[in-house]
Amino acid sequence: MNNYEYIIASLPVPRRDGADIDADELIFRIKELCSGRDRALIDFLLQGFDAERLDYDFYSKALKCGNAFIREYFHYDLLVRNTKVEFLNRALARAEDLGLMPDPKEESFGEQPLPHSPEYEDRAKVDGVLAESDILSRERGLDALMWDKAEELCMMHVFDIDVILSFVTKIKIAARWTALDPETGKEMFRRLVDEIRNTR
């Protein structure tokens, strides 16, 4: 089944404060209504929320994926990650390239590129977030940028798989904040609930 509008519209409408949302159950319900091919894309996306999987091989696969949302979202994720690593290197007086992930977009003839952190459109925004003195504020700001990127990547799409992937991404971000800072998590889930309601 690939009626993407129906997939979102058929989800149960949670309370606006997000108190009754089970993120894993919501994602399970979405996957049940998707085709096998789309479930595989969702599963790959979910791997990207497991820190232990975020190595060069993962990003390389993501950037070669046939789905535009997966490619663009995880390339942005890599750029933000490297900017954060650079910030930590400066703060801890470490070598500036320590821990940087090579960008698979720069692969040539199967050779892994050297790690570095290039300029990109949101670089100044990320640097501004990292300049925050409070660690929680920094994490909230970085996740807000990832949320905005997920929205941006499906902005011109009308209920296709990219819309579903964006929705799942935002569920995962909101679920993370429910654990870190319940008030922030509730606000994010309120935005998701409004999104569900607006499809009806």
Side-chain angles (χ1 to χ4, degrees), residues 24-193:
D24 291 336
E25 174 66 19
L26 206 52
I27 292 171
F28 177 79
R29 292 282 296 273
I30 290 170
K31 287 174 62 177
E32 273 192 321
L33 297 170
C34 288
S35 67
R37 181 178 179 179
D38 288 348
R39 283 196 297 273
L41 287 173
I42 294 171
D43 285 339
F44 186 85
L45 174 73
L46 294 173
Q47 289 178 32
F49 289 90
D50 180 352
E52 293 184 1
R53 291 179 179 266
L54 295 179
D55 56 15
Y56 181 78
D57 286 341
F58 174 83
Y59 284 113
S60 185
K61 289 176 184 175
L63 270 61
K64 292 173 183 172
C65 181
N67 174 265
F69 183 94
I70 295 286
R71 289 195 309 272
E72 296 304 318
Y73 183 80
F74 283 113
H75 188 237
Y76 186 75
D77 182 80
L78 173 60
L79 294 172
V80 171
R81 175 199 182 279
N82 276 344
T83 305
K84 184 177 179 180
V85 170
E86 280 190 327
F87 168 81
L88 291 172
N89 287 343
R90 289 193 301 270
L92 299 173
R94 301 186 303 205
E96 63 179 21
D97 62 348
L98 182 67
L100 290 181
M101 190 82 67
D103 188 339
K105 273 194 171 182
E106 299 176 3
E107 275 186 359
S108 59
F109 307 107
E111 294 183 1
Q112 182 172 311
L114 295 175
H116 69 104
S117 184
E119 292 302 315
Y120 57 98
E121 185 177 353
D122 283 354
R123 177 66 187 251
K125 290 181 182 179
V126 177
D127 284 334
V129 169
L130 292 171
E132 294 280 345
S133 58
D134 178 62
I135 293 176
L136 202 61
S137 294
R138 288 202 296 266
E139 289 300 314
R140 187 185 296 112
L142 292 175
D143 274 346
L145 289 174
M146 299 309 299
W147 180 293
D148 290 345
K149 175 56 70 171
E151 285 195 340
E152 174 193 319
L153 290 174
C154 69
M155 193 173 295
M156 303 303 292
H157 297 248
V158 182
F159 288 104
D160 59 10
I161 185 55
D162 285 8
V163 173
I164 301 297
L165 293 172
S166 175
F167 192 74
V168 170
T169 297
K170 288 181 279 188
I171 290 173
K172 293 297 291 183
I173 293 172
R176 168 172 135 84
W177 277 97
T178 297
L180 288 176
D181 178 24
E183 286 306 312
T184 299
K186 285 180 182 179
E187 177 57 34
M188 289 180 169
F189 272 122
R190 278 194 287 269
R191 292 172 66 181
L192 284 173
V193 171

